[in-house]
Amino acid sequence: MFDELTDLYQQLILDHSKNPRNFHVMEDADHEAQGTNPMCGDNYRLFVKMDGDTVTDVSFQGSGCAISKASASLLTESLKGKNRDEIKGVFEKVRQMVTTGEVTDTGIKKLSAFAGVHKFPARVKCAILPWHAIVAAVEGDQDSVSTE
Ligand code: ZN
């Protein structure tokens, strides 16, 4: 695990996993979704506040490994002011990045920290889990998503 840490968990990921941003329940959220990754034990709830089509606030709560927590934390920092289509676009690019390792321009520079995850296939689901959950939340058609 610690060999993996030096390679995979860049400073940004470590920082966000230790000090997750927007890590709280949002009482007045108008969209929510649960994301679970049974393979790893990651389990998060995403909270979203929207004004029409645009996300105005994002938070999350739950538990899981460092990668999933850092991914959720960076996600909450990245998506305020974006609309549904933009979020789905970023999701597709993040998914491509963590599965291929190619750094794609997501429009959010910090997310490229996750490109290294592709070297650890078991971790890809951890990184992408919060993204599945946020898409489910803003679509509002699913209350829970699982990587399985
Ligand atoms: Zn995990």
Side-chain angles (χ1 to χ4, degrees):
M1 193 63 193
F2 278 98
D3 287 344
E4 221 176 289
L5 276 173
T6 51
D7 242 347
L8 167 61
Y9 296 39
Q10 300 172 28
Q11 208 54 44
L12 187 70
I13 293 179
L14 265 178
D15 175 39
H16 276 263
S17 66
K18 283 183 182 164
N19 305 296
R21 318 298 199 269
N22 305 300
F23 189 61
H24 57 85
V25 173
M26 196 191 296
E27 298 291 350
D28 57 347
D30 42 36
H31 292 71
E32 297 182 29
Q34 190 86 20
T36 55
N37 175 16
M39 288 289 284
C40 181
D42 308 318
N43 188 6
Y44 296 100
R45 190 156 192 89
L46 276 282
F47 303 90
V48 184
K49 213 182 289 181
M50 294 184 82
D51 179 9
D53 202 34
T54 303
V55 167
T56 57
D57 204 5
V58 192
S59 73
F60 77 111
Q61 186 61 270
S63 60
C65 67
I67 284 284
S68 60
K69 190 170 276 182
S71 180
S73 174
L74 272 161
L75 176 156
T76 63
E77 271 202 329
S78 305
L79 297 182
K80 281 175 205 170
K82 297 211 178 295
N83 66 33
R84 282 188 178 88
D85 285 345
E86 288 170 332
I87 288 170
K88 281 188 272 183
V90 176
F91 165 75
E92 286 303 334
K93 286 175 174 172
V94 169
R95 179 156 68 179
Q96 195 186 337
M97 191 170 65
V98 299
T99 52
T100 66
E102 277 172 42
V103 178
T104 27
D105 182 13
T106 56
I108 302 156
K109 209 166 192 303
K110 283 180 176 177
L111 294 177
S112 58
F114 288 92
V117 168
H118 84 283
K119 286 184 269 183
F120 306 90
R123 295 286 173 188
V124 169
K125 285 178 176 176
C126 304
I128 206 71
L129 174 67
W131 290 92
H132 279 294
I134 192 76
V135 169
V138 298
E139 292 278 309
D141 57 5
Q142 262 176 302
D143 184 55
S144 71
V145 289
S146 172
T147 55
E148 293 309 299

